Amino acid sequence: MQRVSVALALAVTLASTLARGQSGTPATPVAIAAPAPVVVDDPLSIYALTFGPGDHPFFMFGHDALLVRDRKSGTDRVYNFGTFRFDSSRLIFDFLKGRLTYWLSVSSLPGTLASYERENRGIVLQELALPAAEKRALRDRLDENARPDKREYKYDYFLDNCSTRVRDAIDRATGGALREASRAPGRLTLREQALRMTAGAPWFALALDFILAGRTDRPIDRWGEMYIPEELAEGLHAVMLPGPAGPHPLVASEQTIYRATRPDPLHVPPSRFVTMLLIGLGLGVAFLALGWAAPLNKLARVTLGILVALWGLVVGFLGCFLVYVWGFTDHVVAHRNENIFLCAPWALALVVLGLGVAFGSRRAALAALRVSVAALLFALLGWALKALPPFHQHNASLIALFIPPWIGLAAGLLHARHGAGRGL
């Protein structure tokens, strides 16, 4: 009876902690349901904690953790696989190399909830109906994994992150039942999941769409989609476990502890093909119009040269960056990126040649024309290769963005080079 009283007192304390209001709207009810009377052999409760997206690009995918509640010792320990040093001087360098080091940390429940509430990130709690022996084994494995000499791991946003680590821990605790229940075809690909989660930040979504290679467009199952925390939370509902009274759901209960005021992520990624095509056509027409006017108008010639230099700087840098990511980093989801066809690395030569065009050099204009035609043919080759199965990357919107400017630039430089009158 004394243990029952202690357990109920802990439940009341936890309820009061969870009931605190922050920048969003607390759900109703806000307290974790009081547990059943303590059974000496099973004082543990295991919960999956799912946190909604945040504002920073690092947090837009959401987050996962495991809560182990021990009513015998009166502790609530949150096991968080997503810990890293945000203020590290090596963060950007390690990110670019694809060698981020994350680790498993252990924190208190009140502090964890308060932190995510301050960031206006939703919090969903799912109690897992695991057998007593599996709860203890899971708790022991987490404690072992959290040791300073074992806690670190090489983080991958799509293949090995805070959500996949929680997924794998739960799968082991269920004897593979989660994996078995997740063999159905996925709703979306890795790319589509990423783009829907970042739809509220168009520039970041565009950068992701550009850097992700064809590997992220392969069909995946529900298991693969669970690199997104909310997909894992949904997938847990599909798991049934055997029991003395017959099969029962893995998720015994679910509560929304904190409801954020931000909009929910989109169900599917938005289509940006028309927008990208219009931007690409606009750039192509601008290059063509300036090239047409350049032989007779100094201002048009100078403007054309400056834009050629800027275009070469941006596109050439992007092409070189893709080569670097493929050849020198561990970002496997960006290897063999077909966008290299659209952003020829040798376009960097246009930085110097564009300045020559601005100063009226016929030799520079001819060289810029040759570079542009070569880049255009390279882009068209990449487009044509789409007819072959190995070239399956979904980059239609980027093709629409880059090919029209290459056409307009080549045509504009051709006219500027051979146009009548003074100037070039």
Side-chain angles (χ1 to χ4, degrees):
M1 180 63 70
Q2 182 179 3
R3 289 176 177 169
V4 174
S5 301
V6 172
L8 293 177
L10 286 172
V12 172
T13 302
L14 182 58
S16 64
T17 299
L18 298 175
R20 288 178 295 109
Q22 298 288 336
S23 58
T25 304
T28 303
V30 296
I32 298 177
V38 175
V39 179
V40 174
D41 293 335
D42 186 18
L44 300 180
S45 294
I46 307 292
Y47 301 87
L49 276 167
T50 303
F51 305 99
D55 296 320
H56 193 279
F58 275 49
F59 307 144
M60 285 186 173
F61 288 63
H63 182 54
D64 267 329
L66 284 169
L67 166 64
V68 176
R69 186 179 189 196
D70 189 335
R71 296 185 296 277
K72 185 176 181 180
S73 63
T75 59
D76 291 296
R77 294 161 63 86
V78 177
Y79 295 82
N80 176 8
F81 286 97
T83 312
F84 69 103
R85 285 194 60 186
F86 195 76
D87 60 346
S88 171
S89 59
R90 293 183 54 84
L91 180 64
I92 299 301
F93 177 78
D94 290 342
F95 171 75
L96 291 176
K97 296 288 290 184
R99 297 168 189 169
L100 284 172
T101 297
Y102 278 50
W103 62 87
L104 172 61
S105 65
V106 184
S107 59
S108 69
L109 180 62
T112 300
L113 297 182
S115 173
Y116 284 92
E117 288 177 12
R118 282 195 301 269
E119 296 174 2
N120 190 28
R121 300 174 65 177
I123 305 172
V124 175
L125 190 74
Q126 294 172 299
E127 184 174 7
L128 306 182
L130 297 169
E134 291 304 329
K135 293 178 186 178
R136 292 193 300 272
L138 176 56
R139 189 260 326 265
D140 293 343
R141 287 193 296 269
L142 290 171
D143 285 336
E144 177 73 10
N145 196 175
R147 287 174 44 182
D149 59 328
K150 296 185 177 181
R151 64 182 184 175
E152 294 184 348
Y153 70 100
K154 181 182 167 185
Y155 185 88
D156 186 289
Y157 279 94
F158 296 87
L159 306 176
D160 192 358
N161 64 13
C162 63
S163 186
T164 63
R165 290 264 163 164
V166 171
R167 176 199 67 188
D168 294 348
I170 295 175
D171 182 58
R172 183 173 178 180
T174 60
L178 176 55
R179 182 69 183 92
E180 190 62 32
S182 307
R183 296 188 182 278
R187 185 173 63 86
L188 301 172
T189 63
L190 294 178
R191 180 193 302 275
E192 290 168 335
Q193 286 285 359
L195 295 184
R196 81 174 180 87
M197 296 301 295
T198 58
W203 286 107
F204 182 53
L206 178 61
L208 269 180
D209 199 17
F210 179 82
I211 198 68
L212 295 179
R215 177 171 181 167
T216 62
D217 296 311
R218 297 172 183 169
I220 57 175
D221 55 14
R222 289 288 298 138
W223 178 263
E225 284 189 300
M226 290 178 188
Y227 84 95
I228 300 292
E230 72 170 37
E231 295 292 343
L232 173 58
E234 182 179 339
L236 294 178
H237 285 288
V239 181
M240 300 294 291
L241 299 179
H248 64 272
L250 170 62
V251 178
S253 64
E254 178 175 308
Q255 289 179 274
T256 299
I257 300 302
Y258 178 82
R259 185 173 292 112
T261 57
R262 69 179 72 247
D264 292 333
L266 297 181
H267 192 62
V268 295
S271 174
R272 292 192 170 96
F273 179 83
V274 173
T275 301
M276 295 296 101
L277 178 60
L278 291 176
I279 294 174
L281 290 173
L283 290 172
V285 170
F287 281 134
L288 181 60
L290 289 170
W292 191 272
L296 300 176
N297 186 293
K298 181 178 179 180
L299 178 61
R301 185 194 74 211
V302 172
T303 304
L304 174 64
I306 293 174
L307 290 181
V308 167
L310 289 174
W311 176 258
L313 176 63
V314 172
V315 176
F317 169 80
L318 291 176
C320 290
F321 180 73
L322 291 180
V323 172
Y324 161 77
V325 170
W326 182 0
F328 302 98
T329 79
D330 295 340
H331 289 293
V332 294
V333 294
H335 293 177
R336 294 188 70 254
N337 195 320
E338 295 174 29
N339 291 325
I340 292 175
F341 287 107
L342 304 176
C343 300
W346 64 80
L348 278 175
L350 294 175
V351 175
V352 175
L353 297 176
L355 297 179
V357 171
F359 283 104
S361 169
R362 294 175 64 86
R363 180 177 296 180
L366 178 59
L369 174 61
R370 290 171 176 170
V371 169
S372 299
V373 170
L376 171 59
L377 293 176
F378 195 49
L380 293 174
L381 172 63
W383 190 13
L385 288 174
K386 291 292 184 185
L388 302 178
F391 297 88
H392 61 272
Q393 184 171 325
H394 293 185
N395 62 344
S397 61
L398 293 169
I399 290 174
L401 175 63
F402 284 100
I403 287 185
W406 280 125
I407 295 174
L409 181 58
L413 287 172
L414 178 65
H415 189 273
R417 176 68 178 79
H418 298 291
R422 295 180 310 226
L424 298 177

